[in-house]
Amino acid sequence: MKSKVNSSMNKIYTLAALLVHHFFWAPESNAQQNNDGLLPEANRDFQFDYTDLLPVKFESFAAAAEWADVVAVAQVINVDYEQTREINAKGQAFLNVHVPYKGTKKNELLIVSSKGFEPHTCYYPDRIGEGERFLVFLKKSINEGEYHGFNPYCQLQVLLTETGEYALRYPLTLDFEIDADLIKTISFNDPNARIDATEWTGISREQHQNDFGSVLSEDEDMFQKYYYLTYTQGILIYQIRKLLKLSPIARISSKQM
């Protein structure tokens, strides 16, 4: 009986030692990538690359795609920003690739580092619900898996339509014009297509409708009236894929190996 107790105790001590080794001696990475449902966070001890990526003017989506190391539709899964007076100052955003076009693959984690207060600095909105989706054009940093971008090309909003397709929200703030035939009136089935504008002024709501083609709707309860703005225009993502003009990557077959 005593030997069985000693054997059990030895197993417990061994397990405890392994856990201590895992949590205190495991090599650090620039981001914690867990499979237990936890969101990734930046490792504050890691030397992130905060190079300021200055804006570039493009004459087309094809030019932007040629410039970028990574082009993809990606979803924000977390942000980790340091703030100064409640304004983002520096940090990381973590994006999960949904549709890879160049330099990445599906479900790859992209870490986008940003620093500064300039209008072109690429800060992503905090995750609410599933997180927003964006068409991103990014450049590699000196660290593997880390990237830089600049507004607006680091985060062109992508919304889900009622038929389950991705569409690039329109209008966009770009350096070039888009063929009007590609722009469609779309019914979106995406929580990010509807903005709560209750706290906005009437002038601000009207300005948004003029700038973005949004539609105003109202709701109310016994305490308050609520105002919402819903996007109504977009370009289906398969049309954008054509505009990227990316050359297909040849795959190696078993006969070539």
Side-chain angles (χ1 to χ4, degrees), residues 55-72:
V56 178
K57 287 190 175 182
F58 301 116
E59 68 274 10
S60 64
F61 277 119
E66 182 178 5
W67 166 88
D69 293 318
V70 162
V71 183

Side-chain angles (χ1 to χ4, degrees), residues 44-56:
R44 297 296 187 185
D45 295 326
F46 186 81
Q47 296 300 309
F48 287 101
D49 177 11
Y50 287 111
T51 300
D52 184 18
L53 191 62
L54 296 177
V56 178

